[in-house]
Every structure is written in C-alpha cells, then in structure tokens.
Amino acid sequence: MEILYADPSLLAVNKPAGLAAVPGGWEKGEPSLLEELEAEYGRLWIIHRLDKVTSGVMLFARTAEAHRTLSMLFETHAARKAYHAILVGEPKWDEHTARHPLRINVGHSHRTIVDHSKGKPSETSFRILERYTGYSLVEAIPATGRTHQIRVHAAALWFPILADILYGAPPTDLISRPALHAYSLHFDFDGKSFALTAPYPDDYVRTLERLKVGTSTE
C-alpha cells in the first residue's frame, strides 16, 4: 500500500483499483482497504469513498476530532478533489461542465442514472489534458458527490470512461477496469494547506503509453 501522507491525525493512501474502500458492500466477505489499513495503523475514520474499481488518493482520519473537522470540509465542498479519466472519443470542447441531475442505486446493477424529474442536482467540470487518436485524457472535478457521478456524467456527454462497460463503454483490451483515477486532493486542516497527489498505477501508465504509441503512428 502506497502511503501518501501520515501524521497523528491523518492518513492518506494511493488506493489500488479492485479493492473495496470499506467492508459491507454488495459482495459480502470481500477484503477492504479500511480493514487492511486498520490492521496496521489502528482505528481509522472514513471521510470519503472511492468506487472499488477506482484508484487514487483516499484520506482517513486517525482521531474522532480530525474526523469531525474533515467531514465538514468534505460536506461543504471545501476540499477540492480532482480525478483523471480516459474517455472514449475526442470531444470538440477543451472544457465543459456537466449538470445532469442524478438518481443513484437503480435496478439490479445499482446504477446511477440521469433523471431530470427525480434526480439530485449534480455538477462535474471536465478539462482536456491530452488528446489521442480516438481517446482523451481529462481532468474531472466534481462539485457534488453523487455515487458514480463522474462516470455517469462522462457517459451522458457521449464520451464514456474507457472500459466502463456499466455505463456504455465498448469492450476493450487496453485496461481491465474503468480508467478513472483520483489524482489529487487539496484541503486546509489544522492551520496547514495540504496538496496530496497519487501517482498513476501501472495499468493506467501502460494504457496511456499504448495510446501515445497509437496516436504517433497514425
């Protein structure tokens, strides 16, 4: 487990894809990031979550007081989260903000859907970082925190996240999970400003290298 930051109040890690953030998900009995970390660091408090398939920076509190303070930062959106995603397709825009209202936990697959009548207000800002032949690397900054928000908003723009079959991406051999990575987290705590960045995991690096090679040979 890659530790990004640790002190008596905070613990930040680079969560691997394929590991549930907390126990008690849809797949009972599977290991979780929280349990693995608590086995080494003792009692931890959850502040925010990442999907099982998503890699990247995840922050935990190590005291109840830190948990109360940090939870309020996240609830009021005072903490800034930035994700990187590889999209299928090449948007004509350089920046775009999606504001589709979302309703979560729909159907047997527990999908999140765009629902203009019953959905909750949701907002994600996208910015192109790199363009490849048939694909795009983007930064996605959510202003709200709905389940699967970035994944659904990308699909609603007709540019689903690479390998995100649940939300309409075509099958691919480029990567075995949705290409979404929680890249950075910025927040103020206890009089200090924190800027935590999670390096790309190996599968993400390999995918981008393949896209770069494919683009350069076109």
Side-chain angles (χ1 to χ4, degrees):
M1 192 70 62
E2 183 180 7
I3 304 302
L4 300 176
Y5 180 83
D7 68 19
S9 299
L10 307 177
L11 178 66
V13 303
N14 189 354
K15 174 191 169 298
L19 182 63
V22 297
W26 304 114
E27 299 177 28
K28 303 299 181 183
E30 66 177 353
S32 72
L33 176 63
L34 178 62
E35 291 170 313
E36 290 193 7
L37 290 173
E38 285 190 327
E40 183 172 352
Y41 291 93
R43 175 71 190 277
L44 297 171
W45 282 259
I46 284 284
I47 300 166
H48 65 116
R49 302 189 185 194
L50 294 176
D51 294 341
K52 179 180 177 179
V53 297
T54 303
S55 56
V57 60
M58 190 167 175
L59 182 67
F60 297 85
R62 302 183 72 178
T63 68
E65 181 179 1
H67 177 244
R68 286 191 294 270
T69 302
L70 291 166
S71 293
M72 184 59 65
L73 288 178
F74 277 76
E75 288 174 11
T76 59
H77 307 295
R80 182 180 182 272
K81 295 181 284 186
Y83 294 74
H84 286 186
I86 303 171
L87 305 186
V88 178
E90 302 174 69
K92 294 182 179 180
W93 40 262
D94 291 323
E95 297 184 7
H96 186 83
T97 299
R99 296 187 176 89
H100 307 79
L102 302 178
R103 181 159 62 93
I104 69 170
N105 198 18
V106 177
H108 295 297
S109 58
H110 309 290
R111 297 171 75 248
T112 295
I113 64 170
V114 174
D115 188 329
H116 291 280
S117 61
K118 298 180 181 178
K120 293 184 177 180
S122 308
E123 181 178 313
T124 307
S125 297
F126 293 91
R127 179 171 66 90
I128 300 290
L129 298 176
E130 198 94 30
R131 295 182 183 273
Y132 309 101
T133 301
Y135 303 91
S136 304
L137 177 67
V138 301
E139 178 185 69
I141 298 177
T144 50
R146 314 301 178 205
T147 301
H148 295 180
Q149 176 175 313
I150 296 172
R151 298 167 64 183
V152 181
H153 274 168
L157 296 175
W158 303 103
F159 300 105
I161 293 175
L162 177 66
D164 197 356
I165 308 300
L166 182 63
Y167 291 108
T172 181
D173 63 356
L174 287 169
I175 193 170
S176 62
R177 50 95 178 188
L180 180 63
H181 178 71
Y183 182 71
S184 66
L185 178 62
H186 294 76
F187 61 96
D188 294 330
F189 174 77
D190 198 24
K192 302 177 184 177
S193 293
F194 290 83
L196 304 176
T197 301
Y200 291 157
D202 290 343
D203 64 345
Y204 216 88
V205 172
R206 288 193 299 268
T207 301
L208 290 174
E209 288 175 348
R210 289 180 65 182
L211 294 178
K212 289 176 183 177
V213 170
T215 298
S216 65
T217 57
E218 289 292 328

